Amino acid sequence: FTSVSHEQSVVNSCSSKLSIYWTIFSNGFTIPSSFVVRDRLVQYISRFLWWWLQKHGYTKEMVLRFKQLESAISTARKLFRIGKSVDVLQSAAQTLHHPDPTVRFTLTFSKVNTALFLLFDHIVWGCRVGLLPNTDKQYWSRLSNRFWLVSLSACLVRDVHEIRSFVHEYRERLERESRMSDKPPRQKPSSAVAWVTAFVQGCCERPQVVLDSVKNSCDLFLPMSNLDLVDIPAGALGLMGALSSLIGAVTIWDGSFKLKPS
């Protein structure tokens, strides 16, 4: 009996240790996400600050400090993203079975383009740190930004689809309730007023779609500016990047605000 009780205590001890290790292991994957959001936020705040300091006539040394900070964080983020393209491709395989064909296509297409954007971004990082001295950094940077732009465009198409879906569902629900009600029918509002009402109500019920739409809309101007498709001041780009980062932080802190699947 003594040996049996001893073995049981050993098993219990091992189980408790494995439980602790698994908790640490699981939490370890959520911590880097917050680090990524923090670094991205600091990068775009730095961009806004050097633009603001430059516009208000501060010394070149002060402006240069924030420019160097932005560049250093950008290079570090590229380093930390090495290998992530493979993870994104693996996640793309999971969206191939989504029942909604529009969500299935846009998500998968977006992830494939994100993986290519990250892959070519690795080459840009190699050029920055001197590992690929004879490589045309500008060419690979523009190529990666093209894939980033296509990926964000696909995400926005998905957001528009989600908005149309919940507007349609809300209007159908109102019509169904009015048919089942014993009250005399009221005068129907115009189609524009009905759509706006359904849109506002849907946004209140599904804030995830609103946050994702704002985030992707802010991000969209970043590759567009890098590709010279739009002419936007660096300060405005910094604010848009910071806003996008804050929304990303909200979705990490509270997973209920994250649009799923993503």
Side-chain angles (χ1 to χ4, degrees), residues 24 28 40 61 73 75 87 89 115 121 135 154 182 197 227:
I24 297 173
R40 191 176 192 270
E61 291 77 10
I73 296 176
T75 304
D87 297 334
L89 274 180
D121 201 49
T135 306
D182 297 332
T197 303
L227 293 169

Side-chain angles (χ1 to χ4, degrees), residues 81-101:
R81 289 199 297 252
I82 288 181
K84 190 178 178 181
S85 56
V86 178
D87 297 334
V88 175
L89 274 180
Q90 289 177 343
S91 65
Q94 300 174 0
T95 60
L96 289 172
H97 307 287
H98 196 277
D100 189 323

